[in-house]
Amino acid sequence: MDFRIIKSPSESTKNILRRRMGTGCKTDLDNIGAIGLVQGKLIDMIYASDIADKAVDVTVEDIKGNCPQHMILLAIFGDISSVESAINEIKLKLKEGKII
């Protein structure tokens, strides 16, 4: 799995994500402090989404894309500390191999 955090994302970055999230996106990207990006296999991304949602006050969205390796990308939206906490919790639970 790959992880990245974008603090204070630019308007261009938010526009790219808006286009890739499509019309079903319910997240207001205008007032977010950070974006956590997590990429991996579908099974891991569903697991990671559940961990992030349960850990802190963040919103998780699937980012549509075209990847020949069938990797999935999730975006975790929230304030900087919440996004960092969500990413850290995902890493911890994956390392521990815990079932949630």
Side-chain angles (χ1 to χ4, degrees):
M1 239 188 267
D2 291 322
F3 300 91
R4 301 288 187 276
I5 296 178
I6 302 170
K7 297 177 181 178
S8 302
S10 70
E11 197 58 39
S12 297
T13 299
K14 291 187 251 183
N15 287 336
I16 290 168
L17 290 170
R18 280 185 189 99
R19 287 190 300 274
R20 292 194 158 278
M21 289 189 296
T23 57
C25 172
K26 296 178 179 145
T27 303
D28 176 17
L29 300 186
D30 291 328
N31 298 312
I32 58 165
I35 303 167
L37 300 172
V38 185
Q39 182 180 33
K41 296 185 292 186
L42 179 59
I43 189 170
D44 292 332
M45 295 304 90
I46 293 171
Y47 186 65
S49 174
D50 193 60
I51 292 169
D53 270 338
K54 290 176 178 176
V56 288
D57 184 27
V58 293
T59 303
V60 182
E61 296 273 357
D62 180 30
I63 306 301
K64 310 284 188 259
N66 186 9
C67 178
Q69 294 83 20
H70 303 290
M71 301 295 273
I72 304 298
L73 178 65
L74 293 179
I76 301 169
F77 301 105
D79 62 64
I80 293 170
S81 64
S82 295
V83 170
E84 288 175 336
S85 294
I87 295 288
N88 289 334
E89 188 68 13
I90 292 167
K91 289 177 179 179
L92 178 68
K93 292 281 198 261
L94 288 171
K95 185 177 179 180
E96 292 175 351
K98 286 193 172 187
I99 297 174
I100 52 176

Coordinates of all heavy atoms in Angstrom, one line a residue:
M1 N 0.8 -1.2 0.0 CA 0.0 0.0 0.0 C 0.9 1.2 0.0 O 1.9 1.3 0.6 CB -0.9 0.0 1.3 CG -2.3 0.0 1.0 SD -3.3 0.3 2.5 CE -3.6 -1.4 2.9
D2 N 0.4 2.3 -0.7 CA 1.1 3.5 -0.7 C 0.3 4.6 0.0 O -0.9 4.6 -0.1 CB 1.4 4.0 -2.2 CG 2.4 3.1 -2.9 OD1 3.4 2.7 -2.2 OD2 2.2 2.9 -4.1
F3 N 1.0 5.5 0.7 CA 0.3 6.5 1.5 C 0.9 7.9 1.2 O 2.1 8.0 1.1 CB 0.4 6.3 3.0 CG -0.1 5.0 3.5 CD1 0.6 3.9 3.5 CD2 -1.5 4.9 3.9 CE1 0.1 2.7 4.0 CE2 -2.0 3.8 4.4 CZ -1.2 2.6 4.4
R4 N 0.1 8.9 1.0 CA 0.6 10.3 0.9 C -0.4 11.2 1.6 O -1.6 10.9 1.7 CB 0.6 10.7 -0.6 CG 1.5 9.9 -1.5 CD 3.0 10.2 -1.2 NE 3.9 9.5 -2.1 CZ 4.2 8.2 -2.1 NH1 3.8 7.5 -1.1 NH2 5.0 7.7 -3.0
I5 N 0.1 12.3 2.2 CA -0.8 13.3 2.8 C -0.5 14.6 2.1 O 0.7 15.0 2.0 CB -0.6 13.4 4.3 CG1 -1.0 12.1 5.0 CG2 -1.3 14.5 4.9 CD1 -0.8 12.0 6.5
I6 N -1.5 15.3 1.7 CA -1.4 16.6 1.1 C -2.0 17.6 2.2 O -3.2 17.5 2.4 CB -2.1 16.8 -0.2 CG1 -1.6 15.7 -1.2 CG2 -2.0 18.2 -0.7 CD1 -2.4 15.6 -2.5
K7 N -1.2 18.5 2.7 CA -1.6 19.5 3.7 C -1.9 20.7 2.9 O -1.2 21.1 2.0 CB -0.6 19.7 4.7 CG -0.3 18.5 5.6 CD 0.9 18.8 6.6 CE 1.1 17.5 7.4 NZ 2.3 17.7 8.3
S8 N -3.1 21.4 3.2 CA -3.5 22.6 2.6 C -3.5 22.4 1.1 O -2.8 23.1 0.4 CB -2.6 23.8 3.0 OG -2.7 24.0 4.4
P9 N -4.3 21.5 0.5 CA -4.3 21.2 -0.9 C -4.7 22.4 -1.7 O -5.5 23.2 -1.3 CB -5.3 20.1 -1.1 CG -6.2 20.2 0.1 CD -5.3 20.7 1.2
S10 N -4.0 22.5 -2.9 CA -4.3 23.7 -3.8 C -5.7 23.5 -4.5 O -6.2 22.4 -4.5 CB -3.2 23.7 -4.9 OG -3.4 22.6 -5.8
E11 N -6.2 24.5 -5.0 CA -7.5 24.5 -5.7 C -7.4 23.5 -6.9 O -8.3 22.8 -7.2 CB -7.9 25.9 -6.1 CG -9.4 26.0 -6.5 CD -10.3 25.5 -5.4 OE1 -10.0 25.8 -4.2 OE2 -11.3 24.9 -5.7
S12 N -6.2 23.5 -7.6 CA -6.1 22.6 -8.8 C -6.1 21.2 -8.3 O -6.7 20.3 -9.0 CB -4.7 22.9 -9.4 OG -4.7 24.2 -10.0
T13 N -5.5 20.9 -7.2 CA -5.6 19.5 -6.7 C -7.0 19.1 -6.4 O -7.4 18.0 -6.7 CB -4.6 19.3 -5.5 OG1 -3.3 19.7 -5.8 CG2 -4.7 18.0 -4.9
K14 N -7.7 20.0 -5.7 CA -9.1 19.7 -5.4 C -9.9 19.5 -6.6 O -10.8 18.6 -6.7 CB -9.7 20.8 -4.5 CG -9.1 20.8 -3.1 CD -9.8 21.8 -2.2 CE -8.9 23.0 -1.9 NZ -9.6 24.0 -1.0
N15 N -9.7 20.3 -7.7 CA -10.4 20.1 -8.9 C -10.1 18.8 -9.6 O -11.1 18.2 -10.1 CB -10.1 21.3 -9.9 CG -10.7 22.6 -9.4 OD1 -11.7 22.6 -8.7 ND2 -10.1 23.7 -9.8
I16 N -8.9 18.4 -9.6 CA -8.6 17.0 -10.1 C -9.4 16.0 -9.4 O -10.0 15.1 -10.0 CB -7.1 16.7 -10.0 CG1 -6.3 17.6 -11.0 CG2 -6.8 15.3 -10.2 CD1 -4.8 17.6 -10.7
L17 N -9.4 16.0 -8.1 CA -10.2 15.0 -7.3 C -11.7 15.1 -7.5 O -12.3 14.1 -7.6 CB -9.8 15.2 -5.8 CG -8.4 14.8 -5.4 CD1 -8.1 15.2 -4.0 CD2 -8.2 13.3 -5.6
R18 N -12.2 16.3 -7.6 CA -13.6 16.5 -7.9 C -14.0 15.8 -9.2 O -15.0 15.1 -9.3 CB -14.0 18.0 -8.0 CG -14.2 18.7 -6.7 CD -14.7 20.1 -7.0 NE -14.6 20.9 -5.7 CZ -13.7 21.7 -5.4 NH1 -12.7 22.0 -6.2 NH2 -13.7 22.4 -4.3
R19 N -13.2 16.0 -10.2 CA -13.5 15.3 -11.5 C -13.4 13.8 -11.4 O -14.2 13.0 -11.9 CB -12.5 15.8 -12.6 CG -12.8 17.2 -13.1 CD -12.0 17.6 -14.3 NE -10.5 17.6 -14.1 CZ -9.8 18.6 -13.6 NH1 -10.4 19.7 -13.3 NH2 -8.5 18.4 -13.5
R20 N -12.4 13.3 -10.6 CA -12.2 11.8 -10.5 C -13.2 11.2 -9.5 O -13.4 10.0 -9.6 CB -10.8 11.5 -10.1 CG -9.8 11.9 -11.1 CD -8.5 11.3 -10.9 NE -7.7 11.1 -12.0 CZ -7.8 10.1 -12.9 NH1 -8.6 9.2 -12.8 NH2 -7.0 10.1 -14.0
M21 N -13.8 12.0 -8.7 CA -14.8 11.4 -7.8 C -16.2 11.3 -8.4 O -17.0 10.5 -8.0 CB -14.9 12.2 -6.5 CG -13.7 12.1 -5.6 SD -13.8 12.8 -4.0 CE -14.0 14.5 -4.4
G22 N -16.4 12.1 -9.4 CA -17.7 12.0 -10.2 C -18.8 12.7 -9.5 O -18.7 13.3 -8.5
T23 N -20.0 12.4 -10.0 CA -21.2 13.1 -9.5 C -21.7 12.6 -8.2 O -22.5 13.2 -7.5 CB -22.3 13.0 -10.5 OG1 -22.6 11.6 -10.8 CG2 -22.0 13.7 -11.8
G24 N -21.3 11.4 -7.8 CA -21.7 10.8 -6.5 C -21.0 11.4 -5.3 O -21.3 11.0 -4.2
C25 N -20.0 12.3 -5.5 CA -19.2 12.8 -4.4 C -20.1 13.7 -3.5 O -20.8 14.6 -3.9 CB -18.1 13.6 -4.9 SG -17.2 14.5 -3.7
K26 N -20.0 13.4 -2.2 CA -20.8 14.2 -1.2 C -19.9 15.1 -0.3 O -20.4 15.7 0.5 CB -21.6 13.2 -0.4 CG -22.7 12.5 -1.2 CD -23.4 11.5 -0.4 CE -24.5 10.9 -1.2 NZ -24.7 9.5 -1.0
T27 N -18.6 15.0 -0.6 CA -17.7 15.7 0.2 C -17.5 17.2 -0.3 O -17.2 17.4 -1.5 CB -16.3 15.0 0.3 OG1 -16.5 13.7 0.7 CG2 -15.3 15.7 1.2
D28 N -17.6 18.1 0.6 CA -17.3 19.5 0.3 C -15.8 19.8 0.4 O -15.2 19.8 1.5 CB -18.0 20.5 1.3 CG -17.7 21.9 1.0 OD1 -17.2 22.3 0.0 OD2 -18.0 22.7 1.9
L29 N -15.1 19.9 -0.7 CA -13.7 20.0 -0.7 C -13.2 21.4 -0.5 O -12.0 21.6 -0.3 CB -13.1 19.5 -2.1 CG -13.4 18.1 -2.4 CD1 -12.6 17.7 -3.7 CD2 -13.0 17.1 -1.3
D30 N -14.1 22.4 -0.4 CA -13.7 23.8 -0.2 C -13.2 24.0 1.2 O -12.4 24.9 1.4 CB -14.9 24.7 -0.5 CG -15.3 24.7 -2.0 OD1 -14.3 24.5 -2.8 OD2 -16.4 24.9 -2.3
N31 N -13.6 23.2 2.2 CA -13.2 23.5 3.6 C -12.4 22.4 4.2 O -12.5 22.2 5.4 CB -14.5 23.8 4.4 CG -15.2 25.0 3.9 OD1 -14.7 26.0 3.6 ND2 -16.5 24.8 3.6
I32 N -11.6 21.7 3.4 CA -10.8 20.7 4.0 C -9.3 21.2 4.2 O -8.8 22.0 3.5 CB -10.7 19.4 3.2 CG1 -10.2 19.7 1.8 CG2 -12.1 18.8 3.1 CD1 -9.8 18.5 1.0
G33 N -8.7 20.7 5.3 CA -7.3 21.1 5.6 C -6.3 20.1 5.0 O -5.1 20.5 4.8
A34 N -6.7 18.9 4.8 CA -5.7 17.9 4.3 C -6.4 16.8 3.5 O -7.6 16.6 3.7 CB -5.0 17.3 5.4
I35 N -5.7 16.1 2.7 CA -6.1 15.0 1.9 C -5.1 13.8 2.1 O -3.9 14.0 1.9 CB -6.2 15.2 0.4 CG1 -7.1 16.4 0.1 CG2 -6.7 14.0 -0.4 CD1 -7.0 16.9 -1.3
G36 N -5.6 12.7 2.6 CA -4.8 11.5 2.7 C -5.1 10.6 1.5 O -6.2 10.4 1.2
L37 N -4.1 10.2 0.8 CA -4.2 9.3 -0.4 C -3.7 8.0 0.0 O -2.6 7.9 0.5 CB -3.5 9.9 -1.6 CG -4.0 11.3 -2.1 CD1 -3.1 11.8 -3.2 CD2 -5.4 11.2 -2.5
V38 N -4.5 7.0 -0.3 CA -4.1 5.6 0.0 C -4.4 4.8 -1.2 O -5.5 4.8 -1.8 CB -4.9 5.0 1.2 CG1 -4.4 3.6 1.6 CG2 -4.9 5.9 2.4
Q39 N -3.4 4.0 -1.7 CA -3.5 3.2 -2.9 C -3.1 1.8 -2.6 O -2.1 1.5 -2.0 CB -2.7 3.8 -4.1 CG -2.8 3.0 -5.4 CD -2.0 3.6 -6.5 OE1 -0.9 4.1 -6.2 NE2 -2.5 3.5 -7.7
G40 N -4.0 0.9 -3.1 CA -3.7 -0.5 -2.9 C -4.7 -1.4 -3.6 O -5.5 -0.9 -4.4
K41 N -4.7 -2.7 -3.2 CA -5.7 -3.6 -3.8 C -7.1 -3.3 -3.2 O -7.2 -2.8 -2.1 CB -5.3 -5.1 -3.4 CG -4.0 -5.5 -4.1 CD -3.7 -6.9 -3.8 CE -3.4 -7.2 -2.4 NZ -2.9 -8.5 -2.1
L42 N -8.1 -3.7 -3.9 CA -9.5 -3.4 -3.5 C -9.8 -3.9 -2.1 O -10.4 -3.2 -1.3 CB -10.5 -4.0 -4.5 CG -12.0 -3.8 -4.2 CD1 -12.3 -2.3 -4.1 CD2 -12.9 -4.5 -5.2
I43 N -9.4 -5.1 -1.8 CA -9.7 -5.7 -0.5 C -9.1 -4.8 0.6 O -9.7 -4.5 1.7 CB -9.3 -7.1 -0.4 CG1 -9.8 -7.8 0.9 CG2 -7.8 -7.3 -0.5 CD1 -9.6 -9.3 1.0
D44 N -7.9 -4.4 0.4 CA -7.2 -3.5 1.4 C -7.8 -2.1 1.5 O -7.8 -1.5 2.6 CB -5.7 -3.4 1.0 CG -4.9 -4.7 1.2 OD1 -5.4 -5.5 2.0 OD2 -3.9 -4.9 0.5
M45 N -8.3 -1.6 0.4 CA -8.9 -0.3 0.4 C -10.2 -0.2 1.1 O -10.5 0.7 1.8 CB -9.0 0.3 -1.1 CG -7.7 0.5 -1.8 SD -6.6 1.6 -0.9 CE -5.6 0.5 0.1
I46 N -11.0 -1.3 1.0 CA -12.3 -1.3 1.7 C -12.0 -1.4 3.2 O -12.6 -0.8 4.0 CB -13.1 -2.5 1.2 CG1 -13.6 -2.2 -0.2 CG2 -14.3 -2.7 2.2 CD1 -14.3 -3.4 -0.9
Y47 N -11.0 -2.2 3.5 CA -10.5 -2.4 4.9 C -10.0 -1.0 5.5 O -10.4 -0.6 6.6 CB -9.4 -3.5 5.0 CG -8.9 -3.9 6.3 CD1 -9.8 -4.5 7.3 CD2 -7.6 -3.7 6.7 CE1 -9.3 -4.9 8.5 CE2 -7.1 -4.1 7.9 CZ -8.0 -4.7 8.8 OH -7.5 -5.1 10.0
A48 N -9.2 -0.4 4.7 CA -8.6 0.9 5.1 C -9.7 2.0 5.3 O -9.6 2.8 6.2 CB -7.6 1.4 4.1
S49 N -10.7 2.0 4.4 CA -11.8 2.9 4.5 C -12.5 2.8 5.8 O -12.8 3.7 6.5 CB -12.7 2.7 3.3 OG -13.9 3.5 3.5
D50 N -12.8 1.5 6.2 CA -13.5 1.3 7.4 C -12.7 1.7 8.6 O -13.2 2.3 9.6 CB -13.9 -0.2 7.5 CG -14.9 -0.5 8.6 OD1 -16.0 0.0 8.5 OD2 -14.6 -1.3 9.5
I51 N -11.4 1.4 8.6 CA -10.5 1.8 9.7 C -10.6 3.3 9.9 O -10.7 3.9 11.0 CB -9.1 1.3 9.5 CG1 -9.0 -0.2 9.6 CG2 -8.1 2.0 10.5 CD1 -7.7 -0.8 9.1
A52 N -10.4 4.1 8.8 CA -10.3 5.5 8.8 C -11.7 6.1 9.3 O -11.7 7.0 10.2 CB -10.0 6.1 7.4
D53 N -12.8 5.6 8.8 CA -14.1 6.1 9.2 C -14.3 5.9 10.7 O -14.9 6.7 11.4 CB -15.2 5.4 8.5 CG -15.6 6.1 7.2 OD1 -15.3 7.3 7.1 OD2 -16.2 5.4 6.3
K54 N -13.9 4.7 11.3 CA -14.1 4.4 12.7 C -13.1 5.2 13.6 O -13.4 5.4 14.8 CB -13.9 2.9 12.9 CG -15.1 2.1 12.3 CD -14.9 0.6 12.5 CE -16.0 -0.2 11.9 NZ -15.7 -1.6 12.0
A55 N -11.9 5.5 13.1 CA -10.8 6.1 13.9 C -11.1 7.5 14.3 O -10.9 7.9 15.4 CB -9.5 5.9 13.2
V56 N -11.4 8.4 13.3 CA -11.5 9.8 13.5 C -12.6 10.4 12.6 O -13.2 9.7 11.8 CB -10.2 10.5 13.3 CG1 -9.2 10.2 14.4 CG2 -9.6 10.2 11.9
D57 N -12.8 11.7 12.8 CA -13.8 12.4 12.0 C -13.3 12.8 10.6 O -12.8 13.9 10.5 CB -14.3 13.6 12.8 CG -15.5 14.3 12.0 OD1 -16.2 13.7 11.3 OD2 -15.6 15.6 12.2
V58 N -13.3 11.9 9.7 CA -12.9 12.1 8.3 C -13.9 11.6 7.4 O -14.8 10.8 7.8 CB -11.5 11.4 8.0 CG1 -10.4 12.0 8.8 CG2 -11.6 9.9 8.2
T59 N -13.8 12.0 6.1 CA -14.7 11.4 5.1 C -13.8 10.7 4.1 O -12.7 11.2 3.7 CB -15.4 12.6 4.3 OG1 -16.1 13.4 5.3 CG2 -16.3 12.1 3.3
V60 N -14.2 9.5 3.6 CA -13.5 8.7 2.7 C -14.2 8.6 1.4 O -15.4 8.3 1.4 CB -13.2 7.3 3.3 CG1 -12.3 6.5 2.3 CG2 -12.5 7.4 4.6
E61 N -13.5 8.9 0.3 CA -14.1 8.8 -1.0 C -13.2 7.9 -1.9 O -12.0 7.9 -1.8 CB -14.2 10.2 -1.7 CG -15.1 11.1 -1.0 CD -16.6 11.0 -1.4 OE1 -16.9 10.2 -2.3 OE2 -17.4 11.7 -0.8
D62 N -13.9 7.2 -2.8 CA -13.2 6.4 -3.8 C -12.8 7.3 -5.0 O -13.7 8.1 -5.4 CB -14.1 5.3 -4.3 CG -13.6 4.4 -5.4 OD1 -12.3 4.2 -5.4 OD2 -14.3 3.9 -6.2
I63 N -11.6 7.3 -5.4 CA -11.2 8.1 -6.6 C -11.1 7.2 -7.8 O -10.3 6.2 -7.8 CB -9.8 8.7 -6.3 CG1 -9.8 9.5 -4.9 CG2 -9.4 9.6 -7.4 CD1 -10.8 10.6 -4.8
K64 N -11.9 7.5 -8.8 CA -12.0 6.8 -10.0 C -10.7 7.0 -10.8 O -10.2 8.1 -10.9 CB -13.2 7.2 -10.9 CG -14.5 7.2 -10.1 CD -15.0 5.8 -9.9 CE -16.4 5.9 -9.3 NZ -16.5 5.7 -7.9
G65 N -10.2 5.9 -11.4 CA -9.0 6.0 -12.2 C -8.9 4.8 -13.1 O -9.7 3.9 -13.2
N66 N -7.8 4.8 -13.9 CA -7.5 3.8 -14.8 C -6.1 3.3 -14.5 O -5.2 3.9 -14.9 CB -7.7 4.3 -16.2 CG -7.5 3.2 -17.2 OD1 -7.5 2.0 -16.9 ND2 -7.4 3.5 -18.5
C67 N -6.0 2.2 -13.8 CA -4.8 1.6 -13.4 C -4.6 0.2 -14.0 O -5.4 -0.7 -13.6 CB -4.6 1.6 -11.9 SG -3.1 0.9 -11.4
P68 N -3.7 -0.1 -14.8 CA -3.5 -1.4 -15.4 C -3.2 -2.5 -14.4 O -3.5 -3.7 -14.6 CB -2.3 -1.3 -16.4 CG -1.8 0.1 -16.2 CD -2.7 0.9 -15.3
Q69 N -2.7 -2.1 -13.2 CA -2.5 -3.1 -12.1 C -3.7 -3.3 -11.2 O -3.6 -4.0 -10.2 CB -1.3 -2.6 -11.3 CG 0.0 -2.6 -12.0 CD 0.2 -1.3 -12.8 OE1 -0.4 -0.3 -12.6 NE2 1.1 -1.4 -13.8
H70 N -4.8 -2.7 -11.6 CA -6.1 -2.8 -10.8 C -5.9 -2.3 -9.4 O -6.5 -2.9 -8.4 CB -6.6 -4.3 -10.8 CG -6.8 -4.8 -12.2 ND1 -7.8 -4.3 -13.0 CD2 -6.1 -5.7 -12.9 CE1 -7.7 -4.9 -14.2 NE2 -6.7 -5.7 -14.1
M71 N -5.1 -1.3 -9.2 CA -5.0 -0.6 -7.9 C -6.1 0.4 -7.7 O -6.6 1.0 -8.6 CB -3.6 0.1 -7.8 CG -2.4 -0.8 -8.0 SD -2.3 -2.1 -6.7 CE -1.4 -1.2 -5.5
I72 N -6.5 0.5 -6.5 CA -7.6 1.4 -6.1 C -7.1 2.6 -5.3 O -6.1 2.4 -4.5 CB -8.7 0.7 -5.2 CG1 -9.2 -0.6 -6.0 CG2 -9.8 1.6 -4.8 CD1 -9.9 -0.3 -7.2
L73 N -7.6 3.8 -5.5 CA -7.2 4.9 -4.7 C -8.3 5.5 -3.9 O -9.4 5.7 -4.4 CB -6.7 6.0 -5.7 CG -6.2 7.3 -5.1 CD1 -5.0 7.1 -4.2 CD2 -6.0 8.4 -6.2
L74 N -8.0 5.7 -2.6 CA -9.0 6.3 -1.7 C -8.4 7.7 -1.3 O -7.2 7.9 -1.2 CB -9.1 5.5 -0.4 CG -9.7 4.2 -0.5 CD1 -9.7 3.6 0.9 CD2 -11.1 4.2 -1.0
A75 N -9.3 8.6 -1.1 CA -8.9 9.9 -0.6 C -9.6 10.1 0.8 O -10.8 9.8 0.9 CB -9.3 11.1 -1.5
I76 N -8.9 10.5 1.8 CA -9.4 10.7 3.1 C -9.3 12.2 3.4 O -8.2 12.8 3.3 CB -8.5 10.0 4.2 CG1 -8.5 8.5 3.9 CG2 -9.0 10.2 5.6 CD1 -7.5 7.7 4.7
F77 N -10.5 12.8 3.6 CA -10.6 14.3 3.7 C -10.9 14.7 5.2 O -11.7 14.0 5.9 CB -11.7 14.8 2.9 CG -11.6 14.5 1.4 CD1 -12.3 13.5 0.8 CD2 -10.6 15.2 0.6 CE1 -12.2 13.2 -0.6 CE2 -10.5 14.9 -0.7 CZ -11.2 13.9 -1.3
G78 N -10.3 15.7 5.6 CA -10.5 16.3 6.9 C -9.5 17.3 7.3 O -8.7 17.8 6.5
D79 N -9.4 17.6 8.6 CA -8.4 18.5 9.0 C -7.1 17.8 9.1 O -7.1 16.5 9.1 CB -8.7 19.2 10.4 CG -8.9 18.2 11.5 OD1 -7.9 17.5 11.9 OD2 -10.0 18.1 12.0
I80 N -6.0 18.5 9.2 CA -4.7 17.8 9.1 C -4.5 16.8 10.2 O -4.0 15.6 9.9 CB -3.5 18.9 9.2 CG1 -3.6 19.8 7.9 CG2 -2.2 18.2 9.3 CD1 -2.7 21.0 8.0
S81 N -4.8 17.1 11.4 CA -4.5 16.1 12.5 C -5.4 14.8 12.3 O -5.0 13.7 12.6 CB -4.7 16.7 13.9 OG -6.0 17.1 14.1
S82 N -6.7 15.0 11.9 CA -7.6 13.9 11.7 C -7.1 13.0 10.5 O -7.1 11.8 10.7 CB -9.0 14.4 11.4 OG -9.5 15.0 12.5
V83 N -6.7 13.6 9.4 CA -6.2 12.8 8.3 C -4.9 12.0 8.7 O -4.8 10.9 8.4 CB -5.9 13.7 7.1 CG1 -5.2 12.9 6.0 CG2 -7.3 14.2 6.5
E84 N -4.0 12.7 9.4 CA -2.8 12.0 9.9 C -3.1 10.9 10.8 O -2.5 9.8 10.7 CB -1.8 13.0 10.6 CG -1.2 14.0 9.6 CD -0.4 15.1 10.3 OE1 -0.6 15.4 11.5 OE2 0.5 15.6 9.7
S85 N -4.1 11.1 11.7 CA -4.5 10.0 12.6 C -5.1 8.9 11.9 O -4.9 7.7 12.2 CB -5.5 10.6 13.7 OG -4.9 11.5 14.5
A86 N -5.9 9.1 10.9 CA -6.6 8.1 10.1 C -5.5 7.2 9.4 O -5.6 6.0 9.4 CB -7.6 8.7 9.1
I87 N -4.6 7.9 8.8 CA -3.5 7.2 8.1 C -2.7 6.3 9.0 O -2.4 5.2 8.8 CB -2.6 8.2 7.3 CG1 -3.3 8.9 6.2 CG2 -1.3 7.5 6.7 CD1 -3.7 8.1 5.0
N88 N -2.3 6.9 10.2 CA -1.6 6.2 11.2 C -2.3 5.0 11.7 O -1.7 3.9 11.9 CB -1.1 7.1 12.3 CG -0.1 8.1 11.9 OD1 0.7 7.8 11.0 ND2 0.0 9.2 12.6
E89 N -3.6 5.1 11.9 CA -4.4 4.0 12.4 C -4.5 2.9 11.3 O -4.4 1.7 11.7 CB -5.8 4.5 12.7 CG -6.7 3.5 13.4 CD -6.2 3.1 14.8 OE1 -5.4 3.8 15.4 OE2 -6.7 2.1 15.3
I90 N -4.6 3.3 10.1 CA -4.6 2.3 9.0 C -3.3 1.5 9.0 O -3.3 0.3 9.0 CB -4.8 2.9 7.6 CG1 -6.2 3.5 7.5 CG2 -4.6 1.9 6.5 CD1 -6.4 4.4 6.3
K91 N -2.2 2.2 9.1 CA -0.9 1.5 9.1 C -0.8 0.6 10.3 O -0.3 -0.5 10.2 CB 0.2 2.6 9.1 CG 0.4 3.3 7.8 CD 1.5 4.4 7.9 CE 1.7 5.2 6.7 NZ 2.7 6.2 6.8
L92 N -1.2 1.1 11.5 CA -1.1 0.3 12.7 C -2.0 -1.0 12.6 O -1.5 -2.1 12.9 CB -1.6 1.1 13.9 CG -1.6 0.4 15.2 CD1 -0.2 0.1 15.7 CD2 -2.3 1.2 16.3
K93 N -3.2 -0.9 12.1 CA -4.1 -2.0 12.0 C -3.6 -3.0 11.0 O -3.7 -4.3 11.2 CB -5.5 -1.6 11.7 CG -6.2 -0.8 12.8 CD -6.7 -1.7 13.8 CE -7.8 -1.0 14.7 NZ -7.4 -0.5 15.9
L94 N -3.0 -2.5 9.9 CA -2.5 -3.4 8.9 C -1.3 -4.2 9.4 O -1.1 -5.4 9.1 CB -2.1 -2.7 7.6 CG -3.3 -2.2 6.8 CD1 -2.9 -1.3 5.7 CD2 -4.1 -3.4 6.2
K95 N -0.4 -3.5 10.1 CA 0.8 -4.1 10.7 C 0.4 -5.2 11.7 O 1.0 -6.2 11.8 CB 1.6 -3.0 11.4 CG 2.9 -3.5 11.9 CD 3.7 -2.4 12.5 CE 5.0 -2.9 13.0 NZ 5.9 -1.8 13.6
E96 N -0.7 -4.9 12.5 CA -1.1 -5.8 13.5 C -1.9 -7.0 13.0 O -2.1 -8.0 13.6 CB -2.0 -5.1 14.6 CG -1.2 -4.1 15.4 CD -2.2 -3.3 16.4 OE1 -3.4 -3.4 16.2 OE2 -1.6 -2.6 17.2
G97 N -2.5 -6.7 11.7 CA -3.3 -7.8 11.1 C -4.6 -8.0 11.8 O -5.2 -9.0 11.8
K98 N -5.1 -6.9 12.4 CA -6.4 -7.0 13.2 C -7.6 -7.0 12.3 O -7.6 -6.3 11.3 CB -6.5 -5.8 14.1 CG -5.6 -5.9 15.3 CD -6.0 -4.9 16.4 CE -5.2 -5.2 17.6 NZ -5.7 -4.4 18.7
I99 N -8.6 -7.8 12.7 CA -9.9 -7.8 12.0 C -10.7 -6.7 12.7 O -10.7 -6.7 14.0 CB -10.5 -9.2 12.1 CG1 -9.7 -10.2 11.4 CG2 -11.9 -9.1 11.6 CD1 -10.1 -11.6 11.5
I100 N -11.4 -5.9 12.0 CA -12.2 -4.8 12.6 C -13.7 -5.2 12.5 O -14.1 -6.0 11.7 CB -11.9 -3.5 11.9 CG1 -12.0 -3.6 10.4 CG2 -10.5 -3.0 12.3 CD1 -11.9 -2.3 9.7

